[in-house]
Amino acid sequence: RLSLHYNDFSGTIPPEFAELTLLQYLALQQNDVSGTYPLQLGRMASLENLDTFSNPLSGTVPLQLLTQLTKLRAISFSNVYLSGTISPELAQITSLGSLYIFNTGISGSIPIQFALSTSLPNIYSDLPAGTLSAEIGRFTQLTTLTLNTRLDISGTIPLQLAQLTRLQELYLGRSLSGTIPRELVQLTSLTIMALTYGGYSGTIPPQFGLMTLLKDLNLRNNRISGTLSSQLSQLTMLQSLKTPTNSISGTVTPQLAQLSALQTIWFDANGFSGTISPELAQLTSLSRLSLHYNDFSGTIPPEFAELTLLQYLALQQNDVSGTYPLQLGRMASLENLDTFSNPLSGTVPLQLLTQLTKLRAISFSNVYLSGTISPELAQITSLGSLYIFNTGISGSIPIQFALSTSLPNIYSDLPAGTLSAEIGRFTQLTTLTLNTRLDISGTIPLQLAQLTRLQELYLGRSLSGTIPRELVQLTSLTIMALTYGGYSGTIPPQFGLMTLLKDLNLRNNRI
């Protein structure tokens, strides 16, 4: 390693440096070094990083030198006086990971070969990236085409792309726009097609149904409109179908139920309408079904109970009504049930929820449910998040939720209640931690002293009042933390009898 940067060195780069065959890092940036890059440096077989930015170096881009440096990982041509253009051959240096070209005399644009390079992830340049043109049709040997996301390749998808008949994976995105050519159906070897985060418009060509090897079709975040063609039901090997954040409308064709290999459907944030087809229940391999932010109406199909591998069901922000079908309790893998902002009615579906033993999150926000929240809901040990806002549910959050160690995130506009004498019933507890998401209020009830198995006690937030001397009966306590509350009075001297106590924390109170 030779670091000479940020000095006032002048003159030229010594060609004798070619003898430094073990040198991996040569840093000359921010000096006054001039002349050209000596071709002899091509013999520096170990060189990985050549940093020369902000020097008055001149000449053309030293292609002959760079192609000899087979281990070169990064080079910067920024703030140097180079001229000429960037050669496509530079993209063939498979070790090169970063290329910096700013404020030079280099002209032209970044060659399309750089956009196709999978070995050059980081390109930083003020040169234009050019367009995706008919030239792409020359690269007939490609099996994977991924446009480098560091380059804002613009333009439309040229018809000549369909000549790359060996393509198995196609990833296009960013600055491309225009309609999706139906000619892409000629790419009969494709297994993955991802045309994402671009400005693609028009409809999904129905001819895509003939691409029978396709396993993953991803068209997310575009401007695609029209309806889903029933011809897509011919893609019998399709495992993932994603079209979120587009303007696709109409109903979801029941023929999609023929795609028995489907594991993922993302139709969210479109303009789909009509009822949710019960035929989708035939897709028994589904693990994720995202239908949210659409205009679906009708009810939740009870037939969805057959989707025993489904982990994520997203129906929020639609016009789905009726009650939660109890049959959904058979969805043994369901982890997330999101139904907020739908006119669903009835009471909180306790029987259903207690059957969903893997449920991690559920939202009852902006639905028309009534009744109360049952304490039994806190016994779903997998449940991590509960959302209750703007419903017809009454009462308060049961104390059991405050004691739950498996439900860290509670978001609700229901009152949390008080810490009352009822706490004395939970005699099996060895650790008592009041959930910090709930503003449990009140004073410490004397009945807390009945929890004689307690080893750790953590209370805080909205509790206040004096600290009861009766807590001395908690003879198994090793940790007592009564913090960030409004506790007042004195520290009971009886606490000196709690001989197993290792940690007493009373910080931030009024004691």
Side-chain angles (χ1 to χ4, degrees):
R1 184 178 181 112
L2 179 57
S3 298
L4 304 175
H5 50 299
Y6 295 98
N7 282 290
D8 294 307
F9 289 113
S10 58
T12 61
I13 302 174
E16 292 82 358
F17 278 8
E19 305 305 318
L20 300 176
T21 55
L22 298 181
L23 195 69
Q24 297 176 341
Y25 185 90
L26 176 57
L28 302 175
Q29 63 266 34
Q30 292 281 4
N31 279 288
D32 194 32
V33 177
S34 58
T36 61
Y37 292 86
L39 292 181
Q40 294 91 329
L41 300 188
R43 301 205 305 270
M44 301 175 73
S46 301
L47 196 63
E48 297 181 2
N49 193 305
L50 175 58
D51 211 336
T52 59
F53 79 81
S54 292
N55 279 285
L57 289 157
S58 58
T60 59
V61 177
L63 178 65
Q64 182 180 343
L65 162 64
L66 298 176
T67 52
Q68 289 177 310
L69 298 173
T70 56
K71 292 187 178 180
L72 195 65
R73 295 172 53 192
I75 188 168
S76 172
F77 294 133
S78 299
N79 296 327
V80 293
Y81 299 157
L82 294 186
S83 58
T85 60
I86 298 295
S87 170
E89 294 180 49
L90 199 56
Q92 298 174 18
I93 304 178
T94 56
S95 63
L96 199 58
S98 297
L99 174 66
Y100 302 82
I101 309 171
F102 282 100
N103 192 27
T104 70
I106 297 172
S107 59
S109 60
I110 302 290
I112 187 65
Q113 285 84 347
F114 283 91
L116 309 181
S117 174
T118 56
S119 64
L120 188 58
N122 301 313
I123 301 177
Y124 308 90
S125 176
D126 54 5
L127 293 178
T131 60
L132 189 61
S133 65
E135 183 185 10
I136 193 66
R138 295 194 299 105
F139 299 92
T140 54
Q141 78 287 356
L142 287 177
T143 58
T144 297
L145 171 56
T146 303
L147 287 193
N148 194 306
T149 56
R150 291 284 183 184
L151 290 175
D152 282 328
I153 297 291
S154 59
T156 58
I157 299 177
L159 300 185
Q160 290 78 2
L161 183 61
Q163 298 172 17
L164 310 185
T165 54
R166 295 185 184 180
L167 272 187
Q168 298 174 25
E169 300 181 11
L170 173 63
Y171 305 90
L172 304 179
R174 293 290 292 271
S175 301
L176 295 178
S177 60
T179 58
I180 301 173
R182 62 178 180 273
E183 286 80 3
L184 295 187
V185 72
Q186 299 172 35
L187 303 176
T188 53
S189 298
L190 269 191
T191 61
I192 298 175
M193 182 191 295
L195 313 178
T196 60
Y197 297 98
Y200 305 111
S201 56
T203 61
I204 302 173
Q207 294 86 347
F208 280 7
L210 301 175
M211 304 173 78
T212 54
L213 296 183
L214 208 57
K215 295 181 180 180
D216 188 337
L217 177 58
N218 188 350
L219 304 173
R220 70 177 304 166
N221 291 72
N222 287 292
R223 302 170 186 170
I224 298 171
S225 56
T227 60
L228 281 183
S229 170
S230 60
Q231 292 188 43
L232 295 180
S233 62
Q234 301 174 53
L235 300 173
T236 55
M237 297 186 67
L238 199 65
Q239 298 175 7
S240 178
L241 177 57
K242 300 175 183 177
T243 65
T245 318
N246 280 287
S247 300
I248 302 172
S249 58
T251 59
V252 174
T253 173
Q255 283 89 339
L256 284 184
Q258 299 173 27
L259 304 179
S260 58
L262 265 183
Q263 300 173 19
T264 300
I265 293 179
W266 291 2
F267 287 161
D268 45 289
N270 277 282
F272 288 111
S273 58
T275 59
I276 299 172
S277 175
E279 283 82 2
L280 294 180
Q282 298 174 33
L283 300 173
T284 53
S285 296
L286 271 186
S287 61
R288 184 177 181 116
L289 178 57
S290 299
L291 304 176
H292 51 295
Y293 295 100
N294 281 289
D295 295 307
F296 289 112
S297 56
T299 60
I300 302 174
E303 292 85 352
F304 277 9
E306 305 304 317
L307 301 175
T308 54
L309 297 181
L310 196 69
Q311 298 175 344
Y312 186 90
L313 177 57
L315 302 175
Q316 64 267 33
Q317 292 281 4
N318 279 288
D319 195 32
V320 177
S321 57
T323 60
Y324 292 85
L326 292 180
Q327 294 92 327
L328 300 188
R330 301 204 305 270
M331 300 174 74
S333 302
L334 197 63
E335 297 181 2
N336 193 305
L337 176 58
D338 213 334
T339 59
F340 78 80
S341 292
N342 280 285
L344 290 158
S345 56
T347 58
V348 177
L350 178 64
Q351 182 180 343
L352 163 63
L353 298 176
T354 52
Q355 289 178 311
L356 298 173
T357 55
K358 292 187 177 179
L359 197 65
R360 294 171 54 193
I362 188 167
S363 172
F364 294 132
S365 299
N366 295 328
V367 294
Y368 299 157
L369 294 185
S370 57
T372 60
I373 298 295
S374 169
E376 294 180 50
L377 199 56
Q379 297 174 20
I380 304 178
T381 55
S382 62
L383 200 58
S385 296
L386 175 65
Y387 301 81
I388 309 172
F389 282 101
N390 194 27
T391 70
I393 298 171
S394 58
S396 60
I397 303 290
I399 187 65
Q400 284 83 349
F401 282 91
L403 309 180
S404 174
T405 57
S406 64
L407 190 58
N409 300 313
I410 301 176
Y411 308 90
S412 177
D413 55 4
L414 294 177
T418 60
L419 189 61
S420 66
E422 184 185 11
I423 192 66
R425 295 194 298 107
F426 300 93
T427 54
Q428 79 286 357
L429 288 177
T430 57
T431 297
L432 171 55
T433 303
L434 287 194
N435 194 307
T436 55
R437 290 283 183 185
L438 290 175
D439 281 330
I440 297 292
S441 59
T443 59
I444 300 176
L446 300 184
Q447 290 79 2
L448 182 61
Q450 298 172 17
L451 309 186
T452 54
R453 295 184 183 181
L454 272 186
Q455 298 175 24
E456 299 182 12
L457 174 62
Y458 304 90
L459 303 179
R461 293 288 293 272
S462 301
L463 295 178
S464 59
T466 59
I467 301 173
R469 63 177 180 273
E470 287 79 4
L471 294 186
V472 73
Q473 299 172 34
L474 303 175
T475 54
S476 298
L477 269 190
T478 59
I479 298 175
M480 182 192 295
L482 313 179
T483 59
Y484 296 97
Y487 305 112
S488 56
T490 60
I491 301 173
Q494 294 87 347
F495 281 8
L497 302 175
M498 304 172 79
T499 54
L500 296 183
L501 205 59
K502 296 179 180 179
D503 188 337
L504 177 60
N505 189 349
L506 305 175
R507 70 180 301 172
N508 290 71
N509 288 292
R510 303 171 187 169
I511 297 171

